[in-house]
Amino acid sequence: MAKHKTHYEDCDILVVGGGMAGTGATFEARHWGRDMKIICVEKANIDRSGAVAQGLYAINCYMGMQWGENQPEDHVRYARNDLMGMVREDLGYDMARHVDSTVHMFDEWGLPMMKNEETGRYLREGKWQIMIHGESYKPIVAEAAKKSADKIYNRIMITHLLMDESQENRVGGAVGFNMRTGDFHVFRAKTVIVAAGGASHIFKPRAVGEGMGRTWYAPWSNGSAYALPIAAGAKMTQMENRIVLCRFKDGYGPVGAYFLHLKTYTQNANGENYEKKWYDQTKELVGEYIDHHPTPTCLRNHAFIQETMAGGGPIHMVTTEAFQDPHLETVGWENFLGMTVGQAVVWASQNIDPKYTNPELTTSEPYVMGSHATCSGAWVSGPEDLSPPEYFWGYNRMLTIDGLFGAGDTVGGSAHKFSSGSFTEGRLAAKAAVKYIEDKKAEGLKVSDKQCEDFKEKVFKPLETYTVAQNEITGGTVSPSYISPIQGLQRLQRIMDEYVGGIATNYMTNANMLKRGLELLAWLEEDLEKVGAEDYHQLMRAWELKHRAITSQCVTEHTMFREETRWPGYYYRGDHMKLDDDNWHCLTVSRRDPKTGKFSMEKVPVYHIVDENEKKKAS
Ligand SMILES: Cc1cc2nc3c(=O)[nH]c(=O)nc-3n(C[C@H](O)[C@H](O)[C@H](O)COP(=O)(O)OP(=O)(O)OC[C@H]3O[C@@H](n4cnc5c(N)ncnc54)[C@H](O)[C@@H]3O)c2cc1C
């Protein structure tokens, strides 16, 4: 251990992850906490990290309140509809009422926004989306964070949260290691804002072997946002609500601009509108939800999956009509160049020119995230002016551990935040964290050297394991006494894929499969004590895997608990194929006991605040 130097840093606000939410939190923390010490720690480099690393072509969440385009209430109704009723409306409303101010700052900071030449307004791609030339989106928000923080630490992966030893259930900071130097870093902090993104690669991806790493969701998003709070005993919500995306095949290029701006549409191999064919069957499963407008994302996936299973594939996006218009053709290509260059490369390699050939679509493997069209994540307090008592415990976006805050993908129950909403939520969390410190809620924190030393031993254990176990390698990477991170990852992915509703079973699972999945995950957890790492990069892989594994356990427990199929097209409970509003019109909340590792589950009411308030006003 002595060879890994330990660095100590004491601060007021520690931001874990410098993606969209983390940069928003770092920026806003400085606004309210002028004299506070603010540190942001990032696993990669904040200039190009997180889901927005490569850039975006649209900001997907902008109300346009200055022009009366949309109001926060409209966005709550939209998210509620898309999530089949299951959202935290207090959180969604709170984000929506602030998100425009965030976008206006991006504009001031130099993000190239497309404008509607006739109206002078931001150019709409859809009701909520505005179009940008967003290749440099991430460096621009990173600059704001860099100017606000006392220090940004790049290349440090946070592995554990520190807990206060003087008061139960209060956070005391976090620890991690530098992936370049191998140094150990202890951050003792009065508040921690976890903004570490969602989770890819917990389910087996479609692209394996030569294509490994090619997923829709950023392959480096490893679920630390969930694993850190889960391991510390924070409550989580809606972790069963994993996301499956319908995207261009093999490159996972985005379809939003195609549907909304280019007005392209899908059809089966016979040129038919297959969605209509599945209307009656879907109505049987979910009732009137299929008649909602817009059709919830999961139900559109459902029609796609059913059509493919019935032999109607491949499904195509009809681009050949729109691409005859030179302007739309340019937009179609630029859309990829700004955010998913790989899709253009895939088409080139497969000889697909969308002007003459309709490209194929696919449904992705499932991912876990809280800011896109699903809302898995931490159970947090809402804002005091909106939240019912069950949703409020003092500080906005504070988890069920005192002093621990979350934003972006970390926070559950509030879907459709996207990049702008995640940055906004980071701002909201930071404002509340400053208040928490000003209210003297972090007084008397105690984090002993022993706690830090114990974590240090744990963090570097995979290096020790490898050093000893490499002597027993029987061939290649096979050893009786350790597993490598990639071996562990592939085992995890198969368990999740085959038992918890991945692509192997067309997203189908049931209680018996989930039970078996949980058993296998428990054995994997045991074996992960023997994960070995030959260098610091593999050490990162080992910790990414451990974070993915604990996130997967939580997803599986939640999937087991909700005895209905709420979101056909995201996953199916074969033993409860129908949506069941009588018993399951509620949010699911879990807690893992850090001492025993056992999960407990509960149902929490879902309050439809927006229309309830309107009903009250009317009466
Ligand atoms: C493929 C894709 C396309 C999208 N398209 C759009 C779009 O067109 N428009 C739009 O508005 N939104 C879009 N989004 C949504 C948007 O990217 C997310 O909503 C947003 O990035 C979430 O912010 P976040 O901060 O929670 O996560 P991220 O931005 O992903 O940031 C998480 C950060 O945490 C860091 N991190 C992770 N683990 C650790 C750890 N253990 N220690 C330290 N640091 C860690 C990561 O490196 C990363 O920098 C898209 C998302 C994806 C995945």
Side-chain angles (χ1 to χ4, degrees):
M1 280 312 115
K3 69 178 176 192
H4 303 292
K5 200 171 161 195
T6 302
H7 302 266
Y8 289 91
E9 183 86 78
D10 293 317
C11 62
D12 294 296
I13 297 180
L14 174 69
V15 180
V16 176
M20 286 309 295
T23 49
T26 308
F27 167 78
E28 191 79 8
R30 175 59 68 219
H31 179 82
W32 299 99
R34 290 273 150 204
D35 303 324
M36 290 189 180
K37 187 164 175 190
I38 300 153
I39 302 284
C40 175
V41 185
E42 164 57 46
K43 187 173 79 161
N45 183 310
I46 71 162
D47 280 340
R48 285 281 172 195
S49 70
V52 180
Q54 209 181 127
L56 295 179
Y57 198 66
I59 288 175
N60 282 353
C61 185
Y62 178 72
M63 302 298 115
M65 283 186 273
Q66 60 174 324
W67 300 305
E69 290 176 334
N70 297 293
Q71 296 302 323
E73 291 86 343
D74 302 324
H75 193 264
V76 169
R77 288 189 197 103
Y78 164 67
R80 176 171 69 201
N81 174 52
D82 198 46
L83 274 287
M84 311 287 277
M86 298 300 115
V87 284
R88 280 275 303 268
E89 297 187 10
D90 56 332
L91 300 179
Y93 188 97
D94 192 31
M95 179 280 298
R97 67 182 164 179
H98 293 292
V99 72
D100 283 9
S101 70
T102 291
V103 174
H104 299 160
M105 286 195 305
F106 294 162
D107 194 354
E108 280 168 30
W109 295 343
L111 180 66
M113 321 282 290
M114 294 190 207
K115 296 273 169 62
N116 181 322
E117 283 173 12
E118 279 167 28
T119 61
R121 299 177 183 177
Y122 296 134
L123 183 64
R124 283 276 176 200
E125 181 183 278
K127 187 169 167 59
W128 306 104
Q129 301 83 351
I130 54 173
M131 296 172 80
I132 57 173
H133 292 289
E135 187 277 339
S136 300
Y137 194 179
K138 190 66 214 303
I140 288 170
V141 296
E143 191 180 335
K146 285 194 274 193
K147 286 183 173 153
S148 306
D150 285 270
K151 192 158 182 187
I152 305 272
Y153 284 89
N154 287 315
R155 304 285 172 205
I156 291 181
M157 180 175 182
I158 294 296
T159 54
H160 300 87
L161 293 174
L162 290 165
M163 295 302 286
D164 175 27
E165 291 159 47
S166 69
Q167 190 178 305
E168 221 182 312
N169 199 41
R170 191 164 69 158
V171 81
V175 296
F177 67 98
N178 184 305
M179 290 161 320
R180 296 287 194 265
T181 64
D183 287 354
F184 185 61
H185 286 260
V186 175
F187 300 94
R188 286 176 299 223
K190 291 180 183 164
T191 57
V192 178
I193 301 173
V194 175
S200 62
H201 281 282
I202 68 171
F203 286 84
K204 185 174 164 192
R206 286 199 186 274
V208 290
E210 96 296 343
M212 197 185 147
R214 182 62 264 186
T215 51
W216 169 80
Y217 198 6
W220 48 81
S221 295
N222 67 289
S224 296
Y226 312 122
L228 293 168
I230 292 169
K235 288 187 178 179
M236 307 300 287
T237 188
Q238 300 294 97
M239 290 297 280
E240 70 278 23
N241 184 207
R242 77 291 294 276
I243 190 168
V244 170
L245 288 300
C246 173
R247 289 291 182 268
F248 287 114
K249 191 162 183 303
D250 298 332
Y252 289 111
V255 294
Y258 279 72
F259 278 129
L260 299 169
H261 194 73
L262 277 63
K263 309 284 182 222
T264 59
Y265 55 92
T266 59
Q267 63 184 25
N268 69 8
N270 301 322
E272 297 160 345
N273 173 347
Y274 61 89
E275 286 192 13
K276 276 190 194 157
K277 282 170 59 180
W278 298 98
Y279 173 84
D280 290 338
Q281 187 254 22
T282 312
K283 190 147 191 155
E284 273 286 295
L285 297 178
V286 300
E288 53 91 28
Y289 285 89
I290 185 61
D291 298 320
H292 289 196
H293 291 286
T295 307
T297 310
C298 63
L299 299 184
R300 300 195 68 185
N301 280 356
H302 173 68
F304 188 116
I305 295 163
Q306 296 308 305
E307 180 67 14
T308 313
M309 281 163 62
I315 307 291
H316 292 109
M317 179 79 97
V318 180
T319 52
T320 48
E321 293 165 13
F323 270 62
Q324 301 310 317
D325 175 336
H327 166 69
L328 296 183
E329 184 184 15
T330 306
V331 172
W333 283 110
E334 276 186 0
N335 184 236
F336 293 154
L337 300 182
M339 63 187 283
T340 316
V341 180
Q343 184 66 57
V345 178
V346 168
W347 281 354
S349 74
Q350 295 179 349
N351 203 23
I352 293 171
D353 180 345
K355 196 169 177 176
Y356 306 109
T357 308
N358 292 326
E360 222 179 298
L361 295 164
T362 191
T363 50
S364 73
E365 58 279 353
Y367 314 102
V368 184
M369 62 189 301
S371 72
H372 208 276
T374 49
C375 54
S376 304
W379 182 242
V380 300
S381 175
E384 62 182 334
D385 62 330
L386 290 175
S387 307
E390 273 142 307
Y391 295 175
F392 180 71
W393 48 94
Y395 295 91
N396 203 358
R397 267 60 175 189
M398 189 167 84
L399 279 66
T400 53
I401 293 176
D402 292 343
L404 180 62
F405 293 78
D409 281 325
T410 308
V411 170
S414 49
H416 290 278
K417 293 177 281 204
F418 294 100
S419 60
S420 46
S422 296
F423 191 96
T424 305
E425 200 169 46
R427 296 175 60 199
L428 295 168
K431 183 179 178 186
V434 169
K435 182 152 194 319
Y436 174 91
I437 295 169
E438 285 174 348
D439 289 349
K440 307 213 178 307
K441 297 288 183 191
E443 297 294 287
L445 279 180
K446 182 169 177 266
V447 174
S448 66
D449 288 349
K450 179 169 183 324
Q451 188 183 164
C452 302
E453 284 304 313
D454 287 352
F455 277 133
K456 184 174 182 181
E457 198 169 314
K458 268 196 189 144
V459 167
F460 293 107
K461 190 176 161 204
L463 290 173
E464 304 299 320
T465 302
Y466 178 81
T467 307
V468 176
Q470 64 173 332
N471 299 320
E472 295 173 36
I473 289 175
T474 54
T477 53
V478 179
S479 164
S481 43
Y482 86 101
I483 59 169
S484 66
I486 187 70
Q487 288 164 341
L489 180 67
Q490 287 174 345
R491 186 164 143 196
L492 172 70
Q493 290 177 346
R494 272 200 69 181
I495 298 168
M496 295 302 287
D497 186 40
E498 293 176 6
Y499 294 97
V500 192
I503 51 174
T505 60
N506 280 314
Y507 312 101
M508 180 64 74
T509 184
N510 63 36
N512 291 321
M513 292 166 85
L514 292 162
K515 196 166 157 249
R516 180 68 182 143
L518 283 170
E519 279 168 12
L520 293 170
L521 286 172
W523 290 337
L524 175 66
E525 187 187 358
E526 227 176 271
D527 288 351
L528 288 186
E529 285 302 306
K530 290 279 168 59
V531 68
E534 59 193 270
D535 54 31
Y536 298 139
H537 190 75
Q538 288 303 311
L539 187 63
M540 174 191 76
R541 291 281 184 248
W543 280 103
E544 285 183 340
L545 171 60
K546 281 169 179 266
H547 284 187
R548 284 186 166 107
I550 194 169
T551 302
S552 300
Q553 283 183 343
C554 190
V555 168
T556 310
E557 294 277 359
H558 272 258
T559 312
M560 179 88 146
F561 184 62
R562 186 180 280 281
E563 293 181 332
E564 64 159 354
T565 299
R566 169 69 44 177
W567 305 277
Y570 286 161
Y571 76 95
Y572 303 87
R573 276 287 305 251
D575 45 353
H576 299 281
M577 275 300 279
K578 290 196 177 181
L579 181 145
D580 177 3
D581 262 341
D582 290 341
N583 296 300
W584 290 98
H585 197 92
C586 63
L587 300 168
T588 57
V589 172
S590 68
R591 180 175 183 271
R592 178 184 174 276
D593 184 331
K595 293 199 183 90
T596 63
K598 297 271 175 260
F599 283 83
S600 51
M601 303 292 313
E602 60 182 308
K603 291 181 180 182
V604 178
V606 58
Y607 292 110
H608 297 307
I609 297 165
V610 165
D611 291 318
E612 280 310 304
N613 286 349
E614 279 176 8
K615 268 187 225 153
K616 273 185 211 150
K617 268 188 235 156
S619 62

